[in-house]
């Protein structure tokens, strides 16, 4: 029997908002490539199986294990530099021995960074005026260490996403405003130094140069043609020539938004953006609703910012408003790593929500001793 309190706290709205994205993804991928469609079904099945297992993991109580897994992820990131598989000039993957599969530690670290931030902040909540410099430096180190390692792969896109998501979450949780002002001034001073030091790789500099000069790469030009010719309501599959005739590269992965607009037009694009907007706002609202639950506040803030960055960067990249980087469209682009990462994050969020009654009980002052409280909590 499932405790009725779990069903009462489960967020069904999030589930209803996410399912249309998965359905749209399968629909588009099936139109583009039936073989990839079959593989995506396997990824989704794996994600659903993982959901069932992760949903019952007591994440709030795994402080030591979370720290250990975070350290393991850091070790995997370092290991990438020695035995990583190189693709497109970057080492980001580690082949799993005796199998045809590989893992991307830079994707895995996103989940464990969120859990580490949630665990630490829940045990050390910010004071009324926000975190001071000491706590800020400690928490910042959790973010900066994986950022620096991933930056060396090189994977500037993922590194910046981790940096912005981590510090964006800190901003939502609460940090003294004097610290943010000081950081802003330091960045302004160091910007010319970074320009002179020239830390970017050649291909990264080319992406930025092409973006600034509006000398768009081939895939962006084809994406703009697909978007521009879609009209108000889009085209049928047979008339979607940019994708069906293979003019549009990566139509099922990083540039799936261009194919979506080609099929469903301006109204479809507006509807899709509205759906993502509703997901972000709904997740953020959960964090503000349960303001005293800092574990939940970190999880909701982290996921909402991550989705916002992924969607914003991907769409801006497709329509030529940002340099081309390997950022997929959440839950829509083909691929197992990104899909399972977001499914894992959503499952953790549902877990933290569904088992809130344990937090609420423990957060209630009681005259009983800690042992008696623990026994009663386990018994419930």
């Amino acid at each position: 029997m499932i405790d009725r309190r779990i069903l009462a706290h489960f967020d069904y709205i999030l589930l209803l908002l996410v399912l249309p994205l998965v359905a749209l993804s399968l629909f588009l991928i099936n139109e583009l490539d039936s073989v990839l469609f079959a593989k995506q079904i396997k990824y989704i099945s794996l994600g659903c199986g993982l959901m069932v297992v992760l949903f019952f993991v007591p994440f709030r109580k795994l402080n030591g294990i979370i720290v250990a897994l975070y350290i393991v992820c850091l070790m995997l990131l370092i290991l990438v530099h020695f035995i990583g598989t190189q693709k497109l000039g970057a080492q980001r993957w580690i082949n799993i021995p005796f199998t045809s599969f590989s893992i991307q530690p830079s994707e895995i670290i996103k989940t464990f960074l969120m859990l580490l931030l949630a665990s630490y902040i829940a045990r050390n909540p910010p004071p009324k005026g926000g975190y001071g410099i000491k706590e800020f430096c400690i928490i910042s180190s959790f973010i900066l260490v994986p950022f620096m390692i991933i930056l060396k792969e090189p994977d500037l896109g993922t590194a910046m996403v981790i940096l912005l998501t981590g510090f964006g979450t800190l901003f939502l949780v609460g940090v003294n405003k004097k610290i943010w002002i000081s950081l802003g001034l330091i960045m302004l001073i160091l910007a010319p130094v970074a320009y002179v030091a020239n830390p970017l790789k050649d291909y990264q500099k080319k992406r930025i140069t092409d973006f600034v000069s509006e000398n768009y790469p081939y895939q962006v030009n084809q994406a703009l043609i697909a978007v521009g010719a879609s009209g108000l309501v889009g085209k049928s599959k047979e008339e979607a020539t940019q994708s069906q005739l293979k003019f549009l590269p990566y139509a099922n992965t990083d540039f799936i938004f261009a194919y979506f607009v080609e099929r469903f037009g301006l109204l479809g694009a507006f509807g899709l953006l509205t759906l993502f907007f509703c997901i972000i706002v709904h997740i953020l609202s959960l964090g503000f609703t349960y303001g005293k639950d800092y574990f939940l506040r970190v999880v909701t803030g982290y996921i909402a910012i991550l989705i916002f960055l992924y969607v914003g960067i991907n769409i801006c990249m497709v329509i030529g408003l940002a340099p081309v980087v390997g950022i997929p469209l959440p839950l829509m682009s083909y691929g197992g790593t990104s899909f399972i990462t977001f499914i894992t994050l959503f499952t953790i969020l549902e877990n933290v929500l569904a088992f809130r009654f344990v937090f609420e009980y423990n957060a209630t002052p009681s005259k009983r001793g800690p042992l008696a409280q623990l026994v009663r909590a386990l018994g419930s």
Side-chain angles (χ1 to χ4, degrees), residues 208-225:
I208 296 174
T209 302
D210 290 344
F211 167 68
V212 173
S213 63
E214 296 188 356
N215 181 25
Y216 300 133
Y218 174 80
Q219 61 266 36
V220 174
N221 284 324
Q222 297 304 317
L224 289 173
I225 294 172

Side-chain angles (χ1 to χ4, degrees), residues 77 80-81 87-93 104-107 109-110 146-163 200-201 203-204 207 310 324-328:
L77 286 173
V80 166
H81 293 277
K87 298 178 183 179
L88 301 176
Q91 290 185 202
R92 303 174 187 172
W93 296 266
Q104 189 175 352
S106 58
E107 285 293 325
I109 193 67
K110 293 172 185 174
F147 165 76
M148 295 301 297
I149 299 174
I150 294 171
L151 195 62
K152 292 288 291 182
E153 289 185 358
D155 189 353
L156 179 62
T158 301
M160 290 304 300
V161 166
I162 286 178
L163 186 73
L200 298 178
K201 303 292 182 181
Y203 78 94
Q204 293 171 338
R207 287 177 178 175
Y310 264 72
V324 176
V325 291
I327 301 294

Side-chain angles (χ1 to χ4, degrees), residues 134-367:
K134 179 182 176 181
E135 289 291 342
F136 177 78
C137 289
I138 293 174
I139 300 174
S140 296
S141 67
F142 303 154
I143 304 166
L144 291 175
V145 171
F147 165 76
M148 295 301 297
I149 299 174
I150 294 171
L151 195 62
K152 292 288 291 182
E153 289 185 358
D155 189 353
L156 179 62
T158 301
M160 290 304 300
V161 166
I162 286 178
L163 186 73
L164 294 174
T165 304
F167 282 104
T169 304
L170 266 181
F171 179 82
L172 292 178
V173 169
V175 174
N176 193 296
K177 61 181 180 182
K178 294 180 180 179
I179 294 177
W180 295 122
I181 295 173
S182 301
L183 282 177
L185 293 174
I186 292 172
M187 290 176 63
L188 287 175
I189 295 172
L190 292 181
V193 178
Y195 179 80
V196 174
N198 198 17
L200 298 178
K201 303 292 182 181
D202 290 339
Y203 78 94
Q204 293 171 338
K205 289 187 286 187
K206 185 178 185 305
R207 287 177 178 175
I208 296 174
T209 302
D210 290 344
F211 167 68
V212 173
S213 63
E214 296 188 356
N215 181 25
Y216 300 133
Y218 174 80
Q219 61 266 36
V220 174
N221 284 324
Q222 297 304 317
L224 289 173
I225 294 172
V227 171
S230 63
L232 189 63
V233 295
K235 301 178 179 180
S236 64
K237 175 185 175 181
E238 292 73 22
E239 294 176 335
T241 54
Q242 288 300 113
S243 51
Q244 294 302 321
L245 298 181
K246 310 300 181 184
F247 289 115
L248 176 64
Y250 313 112
N252 50 15
T253 53
D254 292 351
F255 285 80
I256 197 169
F257 179 74
Y259 179 54
F260 175 84
V261 178
E262 188 178 26
R263 286 287 281 111
F264 299 102
L266 179 62
L267 292 179
F270 179 77
L272 182 63
L273 290 176
T274 301
L275 181 58
F276 276 118
F277 176 78
C278 290
I279 292 174
I280 293 170
V281 171
H282 175 66
I283 293 175
L284 281 176
S285 69
L286 294 173
F288 287 110
T289 300
Y290 306 107
K292 294 182 180 180
D293 186 350
Y294 279 96
F295 198 103
L296 178 58
R297 284 184 63 179
V298 172
V299 170
T300 54
Y302 189 97
I303 295 176
I305 294 172
L306 191 64
I307 295 173
F308 174 79
L309 289 174
Y310 264 72
V311 173
I313 293 172
N314 178 272
I315 293 177
C316 287
M317 174 186 76
V318 168
I319 61 178
L321 296 180
V324 176
V325 291
I327 301 294
L329 194 60
L331 300 178
M332 288 196 64
S333 294
Y334 165 78
T337 303
S338 175
F339 180 83
I340 291 176
T341 296
F342 276 100
I343 287 298
T344 300
L345 293 175
F346 286 135
T347 304
I348 293 172
L349 173 57
E350 290 286 11
N351 169 281
V352 174
L353 285 168
F355 292 92
R356 277 203 82 252
F357 61 86
V358 178
F359 166 78
E360 289 170 344
Y361 175 82
N362 292 334
T364 302
S366 174
K367 295 182 180 179

